[in-house]
Amino acid sequence: MIDTLKKTIAELHGDMVAWRRHLHRHPELSFQEQNTAAYVIELLKAEGIEVRGDVGKLTRDSQGTGAIPLVKGAKAPSFACFALRADLDALPITEVGKEGYCSMNPGVMHACGHDAHTSMVLGAGIALHRLREHWSGTVMLVFQPGEEKEPGGASLLIKEGVFRDPSPSGILGQHVTPELPTGKLGFRSGAFMAAADELYITVKGRGGHAGSPHLLVDPVVITAQLITAFQQVTSRRNKPGQPMVLSFGKVIANGATNIIPDEVRIEGTLRTFDEPWRAELHRMLPEMAQGLCRSMGGDAEFTIVKGSPAVVCDPELTARMRAVAVEFVGEKNVVDMDLRMGAEDFAYYTLVMPGSFFRLGTGNAAKPGTTSGLHRAEFDIDEDALAIGATMMAAGALAELGNGGR
Ligand SMILES: [Zn+2]
Ligand SMILES: [Zn+2]
């Protein structure tokens, strides 16, 4: 079956490149993916695939921009169901380069490869539909909106109940990566990507003439102390060997050379893996900030916006997916990945069903942009990898359904 599948997907390679380039030219921001979803739905309906659209509503008034097509095997009756996930949204970045398929939507760009993810799940779904006489069960294609936003599309789809009927036994997701060359697939069992929370702090003091600091409460000096104190949480309070990041990328003290401001605003991110430790930090960090600021005559307002939890890949499902990858690309092309401090909305699926997430190598030093980091204006992918990602997705689904959808 793997050879037939490889051949069918190889025949679709030109189409996948065309779909990806169409999506790349017409990127849409999170929860605004109307045209992207319509494009996906139209392609699948033309193949005769049943599609549930209008899913992933952010609020009751907004139109859902997700789509849940169901591809059904015709070999024998089966209730087994397995899900394959793609994300539809682009980022607010102005693109550079890409002759012939540069973004036509100014200031918006597919800089995270979601155009490729969508094209590959389309390819996998269409190939499986064309080969439906050879397999049984249902493959649910999950085209989710808003991966880059919080709350993301994944949690919304779960809340909307799209996984209730049919109910998949597991879900497979992928992400392109410039860190692996084309041809390689990266897996990790257990914790893979971090939980990410946003931190917003206002350090309050009393501003005035910078020449008279003794009459003021300088929030800039307090902020400097606070940021340093927070780094000691990572080095002294966190259990050694347990990955954690606490970074502040925005510090605004809107004074001047001779003006001390009334307050300083700081924004940062907290990345963790362990849920009890994450909860403890949510209690400890505001307490520390208030304690330290008050001890220096100021005060702190602390807001935590809770983001997605850690991506935890189900060990058994991941072992089976890794075995499928070995069969298809060979042991030497299957890489065991390190933990990553980046976050992924896919994490929410892993809370409600066994999930596995792999990285698809799309780096090729001979092709410009493909070794650039994600979320950068010059980012591109090696399109030769599209057939590999699509085959892995389709073969992974067939392996699970062949096992009765464990
Ligand atoms: Zn991204
Ligand atoms: Zn992404």
Side-chain angles (χ1 to χ4, degrees), residues 6-222:
K6 264 169 123 169
K7 193 169 154 273
T8 308
I9 287 181
E11 285 163 9
L12 282 166
H13 187 254
D15 289 327
M16 283 194 286
V17 170
W19 302 331
R20 184 256 162 173
R21 290 188 176 201
H22 172 90
L23 296 171
H24 198 86
R25 268 196 300 271
H26 304 283
E28 293 176 300
L29 291 173
S30 307
F31 299 110
Q32 298 172 27
E33 309 94 335
Q34 273 87 2
N35 294 327
T36 306
Y39 182 73
V40 165
I41 291 170
E42 199 178 309
L43 280 169
L44 292 164
K45 281 193 171 160
E47 282 285 320
I49 296 169
E50 177 194 325
V51 185
R52 205 182 334 159
D54 192 30
V55 296
K57 290 183 174 70
L58 182 58
T59 66
R60 241 181 302 170
D61 324 320
S62 90
Q63 188 200 341
T65 49
I68 307 285
L70 298 176
V71 182
K72 293 184 172 162
K75 193 174 167 193
S78 165
F79 289 115
C81 176
F82 190 75
L84 300 177
R85 182 271 207 154
D87 35 16
L88 300 170
D89 54 334
L91 288 156
I93 293 176
T94 300
E95 182 158 32
V96 295
K98 325 290 185 305
E99 243 167 77
Y101 56 97
C102 202
S103 168
M104 291 167 71
N105 190 355
V108 184
M109 175 190 171
H110 269 295
C112 202
H114 298 185
D115 50 344
H117 304 160
T118 300
S119 163
M120 288 184 279
V121 170
L122 274 170
I126 290 174
L128 288 170
H129 181 68
R130 291 184 184 172
L131 297 172
R132 61 191 175 280
E133 301 300 331
H134 298 271
W135 57 278
S136 306
T138 300
V139 177
M140 178 187 278
L141 308 181
V142 179
F143 291 97
Q144 74 155 79
E147 192 282 326
E148 302 280 4
K149 271 268 165 72
E150 198 61 56
S155 58
L156 298 175
L157 296 187
I158 293 165
K159 268 193 210 133
E160 279 177 33
V162 304
F163 300 111
R164 269 184 223 139
D165 181 28
S167 181
S169 62
I171 186 163
L172 182 63
Q174 66 174 332
H175 208 295
V176 299
T177 180
E179 291 161 32
L180 293 178
T182 301
K184 306 253 182 210
L185 294 168
F187 288 84
R188 186 174 172 92
S189 186
F192 191 1
M193 297 177 73
D197 303 309
E198 293 174 355
L199 310 177
Y200 297 87
I201 310 166
T202 305
V203 175
K204 295 181 172 275
R206 196 174 57 253
H209 200 295
S212 310
H214 60 294
L215 303 176
L216 318 172
V217 175
D218 183 350
V220 180
V221 172
I222 300 177

Side-chain angles (χ1 to χ4, degrees), residues 83 85 278 311 361:
R85 182 271 207 154
R278 183 186 186 196
V311 174

Side-chain angles (χ1 to χ4, degrees), residues 5 77 110 152 162 180-181 189-190 230 242 288 300 379 381 386:
L5 186 64
H110 269 295
V162 304
L180 293 178
S189 186
F230 279 149
Q242 174 172 266
M288 260 185 77
F379 173 75
I381 60 145
L386 293 174

Side-chain angles (χ1 to χ4, degrees), residues 188-377:
R188 186 174 172 92
S189 186
F192 191 1
M193 297 177 73
D197 303 309
E198 293 174 355
L199 310 177
Y200 297 87
I201 310 166
T202 305
V203 175
K204 295 181 172 275
R206 196 174 57 253
H209 200 295
S212 310
H214 60 294
L215 303 176
L216 318 172
V217 175
D218 183 350
V220 180
V221 172
I222 300 177
T223 301
Q225 295 269 0
L226 187 61
I227 292 174
T228 309
F230 279 149
Q231 291 320 305
Q232 294 189 14
V233 174
T234 311
S235 69
R236 302 286 85 177
R237 301 293 290 273
N238 182 45
K239 192 161 76 186
Q242 174 172 266
M244 169 188 169
V245 168
L246 182 54
S247 292
F248 293 92
K250 193 166 178 180
V251 180
I252 302 177
N254 224 353
T257 53
N258 56 355
I259 302 167
I260 287 170
D262 280 324
E263 59 181 38
V264 175
R265 281 181 292 127
I266 350 177
E267 296 180 12
T269 184
L270 173 67
R271 307 282 166 122
T272 51
F273 284 95
D274 182 70
E275 276 297 317
W277 174 232
R278 183 186 186 196
E280 171 68 8
L281 287 163
H282 286 194
R283 191 195 57 74
M284 184 201 294
L285 296 176
E287 212 175 84
M288 260 185 77
Q290 270 151 7
L292 191 137
C293 293
R294 282 175 194 163
S295 75
M296 297 176 78
D299 206 349
E301 266 174 23
F302 206 117
T303 307
I304 298 176
V305 178
K306 208 172 168 190
S308 54
V311 174
V312 181
C313 294
D314 181 76
E316 289 173 18
L317 175 62
T318 303
R320 296 196 295 272
M321 293 300 104
R322 198 187 180 287
V324 169
V326 167
E327 188 191 342
F328 146 59
V329 292
E331 182 74 54
K332 69 174 191 325
N333 288 315
V334 176
V335 180
D336 293 311
M337 302 294 285
D338 284 335
L339 274 183
R340 304 177 70 87
M341 298 315 286
E344 238 296 342
D345 192 26
F346 187 81
Y348 286 103
Y349 301 122
T350 69
L351 295 180
V352 296
M353 66 183 108
S356 191
F357 195 72
F358 67 93
R359 307 296 292 208
L360 174 73
T362 51
N364 181 342
K367 297 186 183 175
T370 67
T371 53
S372 148
L374 301 171
H375 292 207
R376 292 181 57 86

Side-chain angles (χ1 to χ4, degrees), residues 386-398:
L386 293 174
I388 301 167
T391 308
M392 179 62 224
M393 292 297 256
L398 287 184

